[in-house]
Amino acid sequence: MRWAVGLALGGIGAVVALLIYVTTLQLGISEQQAVAENRRTQTFKLAERMRQSSNELTMMVRLYVATGDVRYREYFNEILAIRNGQSARPRDYDGSFWDRRLADPDVVVDYGAAKSLVDMMREARFADSEFTTLNTSREESDRLAEIETEVMQALEAIGEPPGTAAYYQAVYPLYQRLTGPEYFDYKHRIMASVESFIGLVNARTGAEVAALARQSRSLLQYQVFLVMLLVLVCTGLLVMAERSIVRPLRRLTDGANRIASGAYHHRVRIDSVRELEHLGADFNCMADAIQSDILLRKQAEGRARQAQDAAEQADQAKSDFLANMSHEIRTPMNAVMGMAHLALQTDLNDRQRNYLKKIESGAQSLLRIINDILDFSKIEAGRMDLESVRFSLHEVMQNVADIAATRTANAEIEVLFDLPPTLPTEMMGDPLRLGQVLINLVGNAIKFTTQGEVIVRVEVMERNDTHVELQFSIRDTGAGMTPEQVARLFQAFTQADASTTRRFGGTGLGLTISQRLVGMMGGTIKVSSEFGVGSTFSFVLAFPTGADVRSLAERAGDHLLGLRCLVVDDNPAARDILSATLEGFGLSVVCSASGEEAVEEVQPRRFDLVLMDWRMPGMNGIEAAAEIRRRCGHDLQMILVTAYGREEVLAQVDSERFDGYLIKPVSASTLLDTLVELRNPKNKDGVVVVPAETSRPLAGARLLLAEDNPVNREIAVEMLESAGAQVDVAVTGRQAVDQAMTQTYGAVLMDMQMPEMDGLEATRIIRRQSGPSQKIPIIAMTANAMAADRQRCLDAGMNDHIAKPVNARSLIATVVRWVGEGEDATASPEAGIDAQLALQRAGGNAVLRDRMLHVFIEHHRDDPERLRTALAEEDWETLRQLGHALKGSAGTIGFPALETCAGRLESLARDENDLLAAAAPVDDIERALSHLLAAQTAAESVMPGAGKPVTAAGKDVAPILRDLRTALAEGDTHARASLEQLEQMLDDPPPVLSTIRALMTAYAFEEASREIDTLAAALGVEV
């Protein structure tokens, strides 16, 4: 068998070698055929060049005779010189070359080497007969060129000017010579020689190609024979392989499949080549071993199933334990933290406030430990999910800064935030988990640093239209770590210092959770540390963002551009970060390292602004500021920058007349807001003034609270009522169902564990009922904080989930998300008023909004009657004035439909004076005001006395308002004086004044002027 296979393989190799050889010959013949065809093509081009050059000479001499233009004689001589190799040949010398030259005599010609037609003929290696024939054509053309030259010489002897009758009469004999029989006889001989040459070349090339074709056909026959022989040998080899190799292998495959299906007794028998026989024997041995091992494996699987069941039961028990412990711990903690929060809102002495703050701080620390344990459990179980929402990184960093400030209040360390002004302000991601990681890393850095600084830095690594890649780093000057400590840093329940004498507390979970969270967000925390020097933790994350998202530097615009600022701080890092941030906002910055240096610095130059650190060696910031004030007066503004407490800072700000203060760590956004607002001369305490917002966001909302624990109930009721809500209470699930089905509520806050009926069952019953209660928002407010608990609430039909201990801000924000901002009937949608727009126009103050509406109704109650009278009298000026006034007032109270109708009436009265067209908007205005008056009457019947206008304490403020509007319209900076005078006259200035002042500070005079109507409506006066 082996010799047969070897012989077959040898035959195949020989046949393949012959086939390759024959194929190579075939390719050589094909190449020769291509060369012959190419030579024929080049020959034809040369013959055509001969014929073309003769025609070009004829064309030039005839043009010369007809026009007398010497340019054609020059072209004639150039053609002869190129053909004879006496002049360089153009690289694009083809049949259209002289047509292009005649069309554009100034065209740039790219010349190559000189080469005569005879040289080109020799290079072509023609046969003697071919060369002689083509050369005959060339000689005839040369003789014809001599005749043409004689004609041109005779033309030169004619003295008549070209274009005249005498000229044409003189050249007529010459033209007859160029068109006579002798001339055409030469032409005929030239063309005949060319045609004869082409025929000779065609005959020779055709003979060569035919011979090559015969050789190719012979080789093709050899190829067909060899391929058939190869197929025959391969077929025989395949037959032998199928009998001796494939069939035994198929038996082995079939045996393996049968054993795999459970027929462990099956064996195979192979009679083939020796190697396959050995393979079959080994296969049977393997089958024997498998059969003997199956029993052992089944026994092991049984034991593994028992162990898995036990592990699952233990895991479920652990989850149940965590959930129960979370509930049991969070319930009393809710009481501790809630009561501490409420108590801190009351009048306390210093000792009591200190005790309560420590209670609140301790409870928050305990809550962080519980949250760490729950987070670790969720991560271990793979149940941790990340959000993807739009958020502001500056808000996240501000939250981190606020927490860091509380932890460093009594420490000798400084926390610095280095965020570039070009950082995008909005991106997509999970702000909660990003903040959790940063708070943990910053907290660790503060904990292990006794003196020095902690620097939180964010750098933009890459940014395009859709993504931004940021590097976060936290560097401290603390204790540092050894390589051994770094190696086990991210192990759960492990700390760098685990000795019984360790100084630092903690569970050892924070870094583990942070590393896992960063990994889920697509990054890795890296650590570099030197023992006794400090550590740096860093990670890189990518966030989706938009190309139109502005940075802080872009938000700053030109408001701060060119301001000269002096930064005074003894800490080089703080100095560098502050100066870089300020320069990014467009300020010109000079730095000083001490109070003494700052005092000297302000002498030779003037500054607009000074940022002064408080505690510095030698002359501190207070002393330096006093000396600067003594020398410079109030020509510059000063801000105190310090890491010390707010109360202590306020005392110093008042006494030393600082223009403002900043509490370290200072974020870039806080710095920008403070600087922009500081340009307002009335703002003396440095606090950023924003448009006032309602302090009762749930005003008018009626809520149902289902809570069995009296302490938790008391806390929740007080928090909700302080936000303006009316709260009804149910102490069991059954009571909650009854009250929800019989009364109307904006939302229900439902505890999960209550007597008689739990919150889940109560929710299911409410959802099964028909009527309004079926769609009422139900919010779980429970100590069950596990992800599974939240999912159970959502599955039962609840809309949201709040975990205890309850944070007042989180509670109010969640309820507002489902019931909306507090509204009442005075801003009813049925009346046509956009409640949110009305609240925005009132600077966020709901009381002011209601008063503005009351003033509007008092002023415009009789407008329909006035409009009807003016329309009947065709008093277009009155119609225009009433429409204009009504349009402005309707826009002020957030009544867009009425604003549009009044604007249309104003336009018609001003431009068209069409009674029929003007009647339609008058009807619409009357209808809209009627609906508004009806809604207001219904609201006052429910809430008598609501919406009374504010007063100006009996003072006439209308002239001041008019002066203020005029100054704003003219962009006059003296508008500040009018605004300050107005504020002094008002006992209780409305919040819209703050909005106008902020717009004036930003030099947005036009926008500020538009707010005058809002202010006038709030004061109940006409301007």
Side-chain angles (χ1 to χ4, degrees):
M1 180 62 67
R2 291 182 178 176
W3 65 267
V5 172
L7 183 61
L9 292 175
I12 291 174
V15 172
V16 169
L18 286 173
L19 188 59
I20 292 173
Y21 174 72
V22 172
T23 303
T24 303
L25 294 178
Q26 181 78 342
L27 292 175
I29 291 174
S30 299
E31 184 177 353
Q32 292 177 21
Q33 288 176 326
V35 169
E37 291 293 343
N38 183 61
R39 188 165 58 244
R40 175 160 53 184
T41 301
Q42 295 301 322
T43 301
F44 289 167
K45 288 182 179 180
L46 188 60
E48 182 61 27
R49 183 66 258 166
M50 172 67 72
R51 181 160 41 196
Q52 186 69 29
S53 66
S54 177
N55 291 336
E56 289 166 352
L57 290 171
T58 299
M59 177 179 66
M60 294 302 174
V61 71
R62 288 178 177 176
L63 287 173
Y64 179 57
V65 170
T67 64
D69 190 346
V70 296
R71 177 166 58 100
Y72 299 115
R73 177 168 184 175
E74 293 172 357
Y75 289 163
F76 179 89
N77 294 333
E78 187 175 352
I79 294 171
L80 278 179
I82 291 172
R83 191 172 77 173
N84 296 331
Q86 298 169 350
S87 179
R89 179 178 293 271
R91 298 187 188 278
D92 57 345
Y93 200 56
D94 53 17
S96 62
F97 175 81
W98 289 106
D99 293 335
R100 296 195 299 271
R101 284 288 297 276
L102 291 175
D104 183 10
D106 298 328
V107 67
V108 179
V109 180
D110 182 16
Y111 289 98
K115 184 180 292 187
S116 67
L117 199 59
V118 176
D119 293 337
M120 295 170 65
M121 291 164 54
R122 291 194 179 99
E123 289 177 358
R125 298 181 180 179
F126 298 142
D128 292 342
S129 58
E130 295 169 354
F131 183 86
T132 300
T133 303
L134 188 59
N135 193 47
T136 300
S137 175
R138 182 191 63 80
E139 291 173 349
E140 293 294 336
S141 179
D142 288 343
R143 295 190 190 96
L144 186 60
E146 292 174 358
I147 295 174
E148 293 166 343
T149 301
E150 292 174 359
V151 170
M152 287 190 293
Q153 289 173 351
L155 182 64
E156 291 175 354
I158 297 175
E160 302 296 335
T164 62
Y167 174 81
Y168 288 124
Q169 185 176 3
V171 300
Y172 181 72
L174 300 179
Y175 193 79
Q176 280 188 326
R177 188 175 182 187
L178 293 176
T179 56
E182 180 186 7
Y183 189 86
F184 281 107
D185 183 54
Y186 275 108
K187 276 287 186 180
H188 175 73
R189 288 198 297 270
I190 292 170
M191 299 308 166
S193 298
V194 170
E195 293 297 332
S196 176
F197 167 77
I198 291 173
L200 291 173
V201 171
N202 267 332
R204 175 174 58 82
T205 305
E208 292 177 358
V209 171
L212 292 172
R214 287 192 298 272
Q215 295 179 19
S216 178
R217 285 193 295 273
S218 299
L219 291 175
L220 182 60
Q221 293 174 357
Y222 284 119
Q223 284 178 313
V224 171
F225 171 75
L226 291 174
V227 168
M228 294 178 61
L229 181 61
L230 181 61
V231 170
L232 182 61
V233 175
C234 289
T235 301
L237 184 61
L238 288 176
V239 170
M240 289 188 295
E242 198 281 333
R243 292 180 179 176
S244 303
I245 299 175
V246 177
R247 192 177 299 172
L249 290 177
R250 191 180 297 117
R251 291 175 184 172
L252 286 172
T253 302
D254 180 65
N257 291 333
R258 296 182 64 178
I259 292 175
S261 63
Y264 303 113
H265 62 280
H266 180 74
R267 301 295 181 269
V268 298
R269 181 178 179 182
I270 296 177
D271 296 323
S272 181
V273 295
R274 187 180 307 167
E275 289 79 1
L276 290 179
E277 291 176 357
H278 291 326
L279 180 60
D282 293 340
F283 179 86
N284 290 331
C285 291
M286 179 190 68
D288 294 337
I290 290 174
Q291 187 175 8
S292 62
D293 289 342
I294 286 300
L295 180 60
L296 297 176
R297 189 183 70 178
K298 289 183 177 180
Q299 294 173 352
E301 286 178 352
R303 291 192 296 269
R305 272 195 301 270
Q306 294 175 357
Q308 183 179 1
D309 293 341
E312 290 177 352
Q313 292 175 2
D315 184 65
Q316 184 62 41
K318 182 185 75 172
S319 298
D320 293 342
F321 173 77
L322 287 173
N324 292 331
M325 287 304 298
S326 172
H327 182 275
E328 295 302 323
I329 295 174
R330 285 174 181 272
T331 298
M333 280 191 63
N334 185 58
V336 173
M337 296 181 67
M339 288 301 182
H341 172 78
L342 296 176
L344 285 170
Q345 313 305 315
T346 63
D347 294 331
L348 302 169
N349 60 40
D350 292 341
R351 178 178 294 180
Q352 292 169 336
R353 185 171 297 278
N354 180 46
Y355 291 162
L356 285 171
K357 283 186 175 180
K358 289 181 178 178
I359 291 173
E360 188 178 42
S361 176
Q364 289 173 350
S365 298
L366 180 57
L367 181 61
R368 282 194 294 271
I369 294 174
I370 295 172
N371 289 335
D372 281 348
I373 294 173
L374 293 178
D375 284 344
F376 182 74
S377 300
K378 286 190 284 188
I379 292 174
E380 287 292 304
R383 297 175 182 174
M384 177 69 78
D385 297 322
L386 296 179
E387 283 187 311
S388 180
V389 298
R390 183 179 295 275
F391 72 97
S392 169
L393 181 60
H394 291 284
E395 292 181 3
V396 173
M397 301 306 288
Q398 183 61 54
N399 184 43
V400 176
D402 293 342
I403 295 175
T406 61
R407 296 184 181 181
T408 58
N410 300 315
E412 296 182 359
I413 62 174
E414 189 168 354
V415 181
L416 305 173
F417 282 75
D418 185 7
L419 278 69
T422 56
L423 192 69
T425 54
E426 288 187 353
M427 54 195 70
M428 298 293 294
D430 192 331
L432 177 65
R433 296 305 177 185
L434 176 61
Q436 180 179 350
V437 171
L438 293 172
I439 290 171
N440 188 282
L441 295 178
V442 172
N444 278 349
I446 294 173
K447 181 169 64 174
F448 288 94
T449 303
T450 56
Q451 60 181 1
E453 62 196 21
V454 174
I455 299 179
V456 183
R457 179 173 283 112
V458 180
E459 299 176 79
V460 179
M461 308 300 291
E462 182 181 352
R463 183 179 180 184
N464 54 37
D465 291 343
T466 58
H467 284 76
V468 61
E469 188 176 86
L470 304 177
Q471 176 174 284
F472 299 83
S473 63
I474 297 90
R475 180 178 65 82
D476 63 67
T477 57
M481 293 174 287
T482 64
E484 293 77 13
Q485 291 172 327
V486 173
R488 63 174 186 272
L489 193 60
F490 295 104
Q491 297 176 8
F493 307 103
T494 302
Q495 291 190 324
D497 181 9
S499 65
T500 57
T501 60
R502 65 191 179 99
R503 294 180 295 156
F504 310 107
T507 61
L509 286 177
L511 286 177
T512 302
I513 294 172
S514 297
Q515 180 70 287
R516 302 281 184 89
L517 290 175
V518 171
M520 293 173 66
M521 288 186 281
T524 302
I525 297 179
K526 298 179 181 179
V527 186
S528 61
S529 182
E530 184 177 350
F531 186 74
V533 176
S535 305
T536 300
F537 289 75
S538 63
F539 56 93
V540 177
L541 295 177
F543 299 94
T545 187
D548 57 342
V549 174
R550 297 193 304 166
S551 64
L552 284 180
E554 293 169 332
R555 278 178 49 195
D558 297 335
H559 299 316
L560 306 176
L561 190 63
L563 289 180
R564 296 162 297 176
C565 179
L566 176 64
V567 175
V568 187
D569 200 312
D570 61 311
N571 186 322
R575 207 163 53 237
D576 293 343
I577 291 173
L578 266 180
S579 63
T581 304
L582 291 168
E583 288 172 351
F585 293 153
L587 283 78
S588 175
V589 183
V590 176
C591 295
S592 294
S594 66
E596 294 85 354
E597 185 179 334
V599 171
E600 295 299 323
E601 188 70 38
V602 296
Q603 288 182 347
R605 64 180 71 198
R606 290 178 59 84
F607 292 97
D608 301 297
L609 182 67
V610 176
L611 270 67
M612 179 75 69
D613 189 23
W614 185 357
R615 299 292 174 85
M616 295 183 291
M619 180 183 288
N620 63 33
I622 302 297
E623 297 167 346
E627 180 62 22
I628 292 174
R629 282 289 187 221
R630 188 184 66 81
R631 297 187 181 192
C632 302
H634 290 274
D635 291 341
L636 76 170
Q637 294 174 310
M638 284 195 287
I639 299 176
L640 185 63
V641 184
T642 178
Y644 296 92
R646 177 187 179 97
E647 293 79 6
E648 189 176 0
V649 171
L650 283 174
Q652 296 293 334
V653 168
D654 292 339
S655 64
E656 297 298 338
R657 295 185 180 181
F658 279 92
D659 296 280
Y661 67 91
L662 288 168
I663 302 297
K664 294 182 180 180
V666 180
S667 68
S669 58
T670 301
L671 178 61
L672 175 61
D673 292 340
T674 302
L675 292 179
V676 171
E677 189 60 32
L678 190 63
R679 305 310 296 168
N680 180 350
K682 188 176 185 297
N683 186 19
K684 296 299 183 183
D685 59 357
V687 180
V688 178
V689 178
V690 297
E693 296 180 358
T694 174
S695 60
R696 297 167 64 83
L698 296 178
R702 187 181 181 193
L703 308 175
L704 174 62
L705 172 66
E707 171 65 70
D708 63 313
N709 186 294
V711 177
N712 292 342
R713 192 164 61 241
E714 180 181 354
I715 293 170
V717 168
E718 181 125 0
M719 288 180 176
L720 293 169
E721 288 183 345
S722 66
Q726 177 186 344
V727 184
D728 292 347
V729 174
V731 296
T732 68
R734 174 60 60 188
Q735 291 181 13
V737 172
D738 294 341
Q739 291 180 242
M741 293 172 59
T742 57
Q743 302 186 50
T744 302
Y745 296 102
V748 176
L749 288 93
M750 185 81 71
D751 189 17
M752 284 181 65
Q753 298 184 11
M754 292 183 292
E756 295 187 18
M757 180 186 297
D758 64 29
L760 299 177
E761 183 61 26
T763 301
R764 296 189 187 98
I765 293 176
I766 293 173
R767 292 300 186 220
R768 286 198 295 266
Q769 304 302 315
S770 59
S773 62
Q774 186 180 29
K775 297 183 179 179
I776 184 173
I778 302 178
I779 303 169
M781 191 172 69
T782 173
N784 297 333
M786 301 290 286
D789 298 324
R790 176 183 177 87
Q791 190 59 46
R792 287 168 57 201
C793 294
L794 299 178
D795 293 342
M798 296 185 182
N799 301 88
D800 212 330
H801 179 279
I802 304 174
K804 297 178 183 176
V806 175
N807 176 276
R809 183 180 299 176
S810 175
L811 172 63
I812 302 306
T814 303
V815 176
V816 167
R817 184 162 61 246
W818 291 103
V819 303
E821 287 279 356
E823 300 177 10
D824 58 42
T826 59
S828 169
E830 289 79 3
I833 293 179
D834 186 330
Q836 296 297 328
L837 180 60
L839 191 63
Q840 178 183 353
R841 297 284 169 85
N845 191 312
V847 176
L848 175 60
R849 175 202 62 195
D850 300 341
R851 290 173 178 170
M852 290 165 54
L853 179 59
H854 183 88
V855 171
F856 174 86
I857 292 174
E858 290 298 321
H859 279 77
H860 299 284
R861 183 188 300 272
D862 299 328
D863 276 7
E865 183 179 349
R866 298 172 187 167
L867 289 170
R868 291 291 181 191
T869 301
L871 189 63
E873 297 175 357
E874 298 188 25
D875 187 351
W876 298 108
E877 179 59 24
T878 300
L879 282 172
R880 187 195 64 78
Q881 293 177 358
L882 289 172
H884 176 77
L886 188 59
K887 180 182 69 172
S889 299
T892 301
I893 66 168
F895 202 158
L898 182 57
E899 182 182 8
T900 301
C901 294
R904 190 164 69 251
L905 176 61
E906 179 189 12
S907 177
L908 290 171
R910 183 182 61 245
D911 301 329
E912 298 186 16
N913 296 347
D914 185 340
L915 281 176
L916 185 61
V922 170
D923 291 340
D924 293 339
I925 291 171
E926 183 175 7
R927 190 180 304 110
L929 286 174
S930 298
H931 290 168
L932 177 61
L933 290 172
Q936 178 69 5
T937 302
E940 290 181 351
S941 67
V942 177
M943 301 176 62
K948 294 181 180 178
V950 297
T951 65
K955 301 173 184 178
D956 186 10
V957 297
I960 301 176
L961 283 175
R962 284 193 288 269
D963 292 343
L964 179 59
R965 169 178 280 174
T966 302
L968 289 173
E970 296 174 355
D972 189 351
T973 55
H974 292 295
R976 296 184 187 276
S978 299
L979 185 64
E980 291 178 2
Q981 183 181 0
L982 184 62
E983 289 173 332
Q984 292 171 2
M985 294 179 65
L986 298 177
D987 297 330
D988 184 19
V992 70
L993 275 178
S994 299
T995 303
I996 295 175
R997 178 170 289 282
L999 291 170
M1000 290 170 58
T1001 302
Y1003 299 99
F1005 293 120
E1006 184 178 349
E1007 291 81 354
S1009 177
R1010 288 199 291 266
E1011 294 294 333
I1012 296 297
D1013 289 333
T1014 304
L1015 179 58
L1019 298 177
V1021 298
E1022 290 187 356
V1023 292

